[in-house]
Amino acid sequence: MGRALMEAAPNLKPDVIVVDIGMPLMNGLEAGQRLKEQMPAVKFIFLTMNEDPDVAVQAMRSGHPGTC
């Protein structure tokens, strides 16, 4: 799923990407970080069922380091 996102997003040129953090093969955080490098203006909404607050902090930091 993460790899499919990496292939599709640059062609689709979205303003916002909704990402599940727990995707197989490449998780949403990793895919988001890589896409942010390629598409700096894109915004992300991360979704997760994970109850660990550190996962939420990591997601927030992935888009704008130093803001959490």
Side-chain angles (χ1 to χ4, degrees):
M1 294 292 239
R3 291 181 182 161
L5 174 62
M6 294 292 301
E7 292 176 16
N11 295 327
L12 296 171
K13 298 176 179 51
D15 295 320
V16 177
I17 299 174
V18 178
V19 183
D20 182 356
I21 291 175
M23 295 189 298
L25 302 179
M26 179 187 300
N27 72 40
L29 291 174
E30 183 179 351
Q33 289 171 346
R34 290 184 183 188
L35 283 171
K36 195 69 175 172
E37 292 172 6
Q38 294 177 13
M39 306 169 68
V42 74
K43 304 295 183 204
F44 289 90
I45 297 173
F46 291 102
L47 302 175
T48 185
M49 293 293 293
N50 192 319
E51 295 181 14
D52 184 353
D54 291 337
V55 173
V57 170
Q58 186 178 1
M60 287 185 272
R61 286 188 176 150
S62 70
H64 299 284
T67 61
C68 294

